[in-house]
Amino acid sequence: MLRRARALLLGALLSIPSTAAAQILTPEAHFGFRLGTDRRLASADAIERYFTLVASQSDRVQLLDLGRSTEGHAMLAAVVSAPENIRSLDRIRATNLRLSDPRTLEPDEARQLARTQPLILAIGASIHASEVGATQAASELLHDLAAASDPATLALLQNVVVVIIPSLNPDGQRIVYDWYEKTRGTPYEGAPMPWLYHKYAGHDINRDAFMMNLAENRNLARFLYGDWHPQVFLTMHQMEENGPRFFVPPNTDPIDPNSDPLIWRSAALLGGAMALQLQRDGRSGVVSSAKYDYYWPGFEDSAPIGHNTVCLLTEAATVDIASPVIVPATELRAGFKGLADYRPQINFPDPWPGGRWTLRDIVDYDLSAVRGLLFAASAYREQLVQNFYDLGRRAVQKGRDGGPFAFIVPQDQYDPATAARLESLLLAGAVEIHRAMEPFRADGEPYPEGTDIIFMAQPYRAYVKTLLERQSYPARRSAPSGTPERPYDVAGWTLPLQMGVKVITIERRFEPPSLTRLTEAAIPAGAVWGERKPSWWVVDARGNGAALAVNRLVAAGAAPSWTLGGIDGSGFHYGPGSLVVPHSKNAEPVIAGIAAELGLRVEGMKGKLPGNLQPIGRSRVAVYKPWTASIDEGWTRLVLDQYEFTYATLTDQQVRTGNLRSQFDVIVLPNLPGDYLTAGPSGEVPPEFAGGLTPLGVDNLRAFVRAGGTLVCLGASGSLAIGAFDLPVRDLASDDERLFVPGSIVRLDLDPKQPLAFGMPQETAAFFAFSSVFASASAAGPTAAYADPSLAAGVRTIARYGSEDVLLSGWLEGEDRIAGRAAVVEAPIGEGRVVMFGFPVQHRGQSLATFRLLFNALFTSPQAAGRK
Ligand SMILES: [Zn+2]
C-alpha cells in the first residue's frame, strides 16, 4: 500500500510523459478536419477507428467493448489512465467492487484502500444522437488525455481512471449522420429527421434506464453496476438553442428522498468545478440549479444514483446538427424552473449576449467542463472513493433498521410471466433477491417456501426502494396560488403497480428463513392437468403471458379460441377468455411450453369442442408510422415484438392510396392528436415526408372501419376517430385546467364481461399523463360532463378510472374530474369498430398492467376471426 502511495506522488512530481505526444495521431490528422468544424461530422466508424488507433499507440489507453446495440453495432469505450493504472486495471476493478459492498469490507480496511485507490469516472456522450457535440468532442478528449505531458494532467491520470464512451446510442449516431449527410447543402440541411434516432425509442432511449427494454441500457447497466461501477458518471447532452449556453450540476428540485444527501453535495462540488473551469476559459452563459431534476429514476444519469454513483448532467445549447445557428439577443429566453428571467443571477452570473453559435462552441464548452470535472475528481479522489463506501454502508444500515425492512414477491401471481419480468429487471439493476427455502412469518403473516424476499439491507437500497414504493410527489408551485411546477419527467412510476405484480411491503424486521440468492428470475412451472391424450386443451389465459401463448400457438399452426362462457375443469373453473385449443401434433410442444415457461394452468379435455367460442389471434395488424418521428409508435413496435406479434408498418403514402381493408384487419394509430396525424410534420421536410394522412387518408381509414376493420386509437389519436366518425364521445380532459396529472398511476376498473378486458383482473392500475377522460357528447347542458359514453347508442365502456382514491402513485389534482369516468371505449361502426385507449396502455414498454388491453384489441378483430 505504501509503495503504491509513493508511486502516486513520484509520478506527479517527476511528470514523465509515458508516451511521447508526437506518437499519438491528432484527431485533425485522422479525420481530415478539426472536430466541430461547421457542417462537418465525424462518422461512427471513423470515431471507432480513431479510438482503436489511439489504444494501439498509447500505453495510457485500453479499449472496452460494452456490448452490442439494438441493431448490432459495438458500444465502445476507452479506459484512459496512467500506464501503471492501465496495467493494474483488474486489481483496481476488484478493489472497487469490494468498496461497492460494505458488507464484505471493514471500515478500517476501506479507509486504507481509499488512500490509494484511483477514482473511476465515466463519461457517456450523446445518448440523444441528434445532440452530436459530445460524440464529436470525445476523440479530442481522448487525444488530450493520451498525449498530454503537462504535470497537472499527468497527476490527474494517476488519480483517476477515465472511461470515455463516445456514443451511448451507436445506432442513432449512424442514423443522424446519414440524415445530415443526405440533407447537407439542401433546403433541409440540419432539419429534424422524419424518423426516430433509435429503432424503437428515439429520444426515450434515455427514459428506459430501470426498465431495460433496450440493449443499450442493459449494456450500460452491466458496465455501471457490475463490471466497473464508477463513482462518478457524467452524461453530456444538448438543449434548446435560444436559452443559456450550458447547464452544469447541481440539478434543481425535487430530489428523490431516498438518495443519500452526500450524493447531492458531491454533484454540487463537481458541477461547481465544471462551472469554474468554463468561466476561467471565458465561456459565458453557464447555468446551474435549474430546469433538470433527478426525481425520476429512469434516466441513464439518474438510475445510477441509487447505486451510490454521483451522476452529472451537462446540456449545451444546440445547433442544427452540425450547422451553425444565429441567436439574436432579442430571442434569448429563460422561463423555466430555477431561471425565470434571462438576466444575471447567482446560478447564471454571466449571460451569453447572443450571436453565432457553432458545433465547435459546443465541443469547446464540453471540453472545458470535462477538464474542470477531472481536476476536481483528482483533487477530491480520496474523499470521493471513501464516500462511495460510506454511501453503501449507510444504505445497508438503514435497511437493517426497517421502514421498510423488505419487499416480498409472492409466488402466487395473477400474471407469472410479468412477475418474472419485474424480478429480472431488478436483478439486471444489481438488486439482490433471495428465495425462502422454508416457510416464514413477516408482519404477522405466514409465507410459504419459495417466496421471494428483497431485503432492504443492501447497498443499492435507494434504487430498489424508489422503484417499488409509491411516490407522493412533493408538489411545488411558482407562487402559492400560481401554476404547478411540472416535474421534468413523470411524478409516479411504482413498478409493482405499473406492471400489475403483487409485491408486499414489510415494515418491521423479521427473522429471515434459510435463503438462497436468485441469479435469474424463473417462473414457477404450471402443470398440465387432465387427459394425457386430449381432444382439446383449455388454458387459464391470464395476463401478458397468455398473449405470448396465443401468438406461439398461432405460429405453430394451431387455432386458439376464447371461450365466451367459461368451462368447468377438474376442480377449477376456467372463466370467460380462457383459451380453447383443438389437439394437434404441432400444438403439443407449445402447450407444454405454455405450462412450463409461462406458468399458466393447462388442462387436457376429452370429447367435442365446447360451444360459444371466438377464434382469435390471426388478425393482420398494421402500425401507422407518421413522419413526425413518433416515439409512441416505436414503443408500440417494441411491445409487439416482445410479445411475438407479427405486424406491418403503414406509411402516409399507403393510407392515402387506400384499399386498406383487403390488406389489414387492425390498424393502430400512435399517441398523437388527430390534427397532427392529418397535417403531418410541421416545418421544412423533404416533400416525400410532408402532408400527413391528409383528409383523403382519413377517408380511407373511415372506409376501412366500415368494411370491418378495427381502428385502435392510442391516447390522443382518439380525437381523429371522434372527428372522422362523428362519435358521440368527447374528451373531457382536453380543455379542463382543473385536472392536472403529470405522469402518475391511477386506479382502473374493468368490465370483465367485455372480451377487450379478458385475461385482466377486475381492478388494476393505469399510467396517466395528461391523458383522456371520455364522456358522452350526446347529453346536453350542465350534466354533459357526467354522462357516460355508454349512454350513447352502441358505445361500450370497457374500463373506467377508479371511482374513489383514484391516485395510486405520483401527483393528481382534480380527482372529481376523472373519478369513475370512461378510460377505454369501443364504438361499433358499420361492420367494424374503433377502440379508443384514453391513457397510454403500453407506456414506454413499462405499463405491463395494461398491455393486455392492446393485445386483446389486436386478437379480436371481428372480421378476421373466420379468415383462413
Ligand atoms: Zn438530451
Side-chain angles (χ1 to χ4, degrees), residues 8-189:
L8 271 173
L9 200 65
L10 278 178
L13 289 175
L14 298 176
S15 55
I16 302 163
S18 51
T19 317
Q23 289 172 350
I24 315 270
L25 189 69
T26 64
E28 191 160 349
H30 173 79
F31 294 103
F33 60 94
R34 189 177 183 227
L35 290 166
T37 296
D38 284 353
R39 309 178 67 234
R40 297 297 300 271
L41 280 182
S43 71
D45 292 340
I47 294 171
E48 273 189 32
R49 281 198 300 276
Y50 185 69
F51 269 58
T52 309
L53 178 76
V54 174
S56 74
Q57 292 179 335
S58 171
D59 57 359
R60 298 181 197 168
V61 180
Q62 193 176 93
L63 280 192
L64 272 187
D65 180 359
L66 304 186
R68 296 281 133 179
S69 68
T70 298
E71 301 198 77
H73 292 113
M75 277 180 85
L76 192 76
V79 186
V80 196
S81 197
E84 58 270 34
N85 288 340
I86 293 293
R87 284 193 297 273
S88 316
L89 279 180
D90 287 345
R91 182 181 51 75
I92 291 171
R93 276 176 48 197
T95 304
N96 195 57
L97 292 181
R98 289 189 68 202
L99 287 162
S100 76
D101 189 346
R103 295 165 301 182
T104 63
L105 191 59
E106 290 302 318
D108 281 350
E109 200 189 344
R111 263 193 299 278
Q112 281 289 330
L113 292 173
R115 276 188 200 131
T116 54
Q117 171 74 1
L119 179 86
I120 300 180
L121 183 152
I123 301 171
S126 305
I127 194 167
H128 293 145
S130 61
E131 302 165 6
V132 298
T135 286
Q136 299 295 304
S139 299
E140 218 166 284
L141 173 62
L142 177 67
H143 177 265
D144 289 353
L145 294 175
S149 56
D150 63 292
T153 307
L154 293 177
L156 85 80
L157 287 174
Q158 292 193 312
N159 284 326
V160 185
V161 173
V162 186
V163 183
I164 305 171
I165 310 168
S167 171
L168 292 169
N169 179 1
D171 298 349
Q173 190 189 357
R174 288 169 169 84
I175 296 169
V176 169
Y177 177 87
D178 291 346
W179 169 252
Y180 187 72
E181 290 301 312
K182 184 179 138 118
T183 55
R184 192 161 55 136
T186 76
Y188 314 107
E189 176 174 316

Side-chain angles (χ1 to χ4, degrees), residues 128 131 203 237-238 315:
H128 293 145
E131 302 165 6
H203 202 72
H237 288 249
Q238 288 169 214
E315 300 265 358

Side-chain angles (χ1 to χ4, degrees), residues 397-563:
Q397 189 53 52
K398 272 189 185 168
R400 286 197 185 117
D401 296 343
F405 181 69
F407 290 94
I408 283 183
V409 187
Q411 275 219 350
D412 173 28
Q413 294 282 347
Y414 184 85
D415 182 358
T418 299
R421 176 79 203 287
L422 173 60
E423 290 197 335
S424 165
L425 70 87
L426 292 176
L427 290 170
V431 172
E432 289 172 12
I433 307 177
H434 288 90
R435 180 156 289 178
M437 305 303 286
E438 58 185 352
F440 65 100
R441 295 185 79 85
D443 272 0
E445 294 294 319
Y447 293 93
E449 176 190 344
T451 302
D452 291 343
I453 311 172
I454 304 165
F455 291 103
M456 285 294 92
Q458 54 178 297
Y460 315 137
R461 168 185 178 272
Y463 178 74
V464 63
K465 183 167 181 283
T466 291
L467 292 183
L468 297 182
E469 72 183 2
R470 295 181 186 218
Q471 282 75 49
S472 172
Y473 189 81
R476 293 154 50 97
R477 306 187 109 80
S478 49
S481 60
T483 46
E485 282 183 353
R486 284 167 66 161
Y488 191 77
D489 200 77
V490 304
W493 53 84
T494 313
L495 286 182
L497 293 171
Q498 248 200 115
M499 298 176 74
V501 178
K502 195 197 302 177
V503 175
I504 299 157
T505 310
I506 305 295
E507 288 297 330
R508 284 171 299 158
R509 193 180 171 80
F510 61 88
E511 197 50 48
S514 72
L515 300 165
T516 178
R517 185 161 163 191
L518 286 193
T519 51
E520 59 177 359
I523 297 169
V528 181
W529 301 74
E531 296 290 338
R532 300 278 301 278
K533 289 191 185 324
S535 321
W536 52 279
W537 295 278
V538 57
V539 181
D540 183 22
R542 305 195 225 170
N544 298 318
L548 274 173
V550 170
N551 287 329
R552 286 176 187 176
L553 285 164
V554 171
S561 297
W562 274 338
T563 166

Side-chain angles (χ1 to χ4, degrees), residues 771-801:
S771 303
S772 297
V773 178
F774 297 122
S776 169
S778 58
T783 58
Y786 297 90
D788 192 274
S790 296
L791 297 175
V795 178
R796 288 187 283 273
T797 298
I798 310 299
R800 298 168 191 286
Y801 301 114

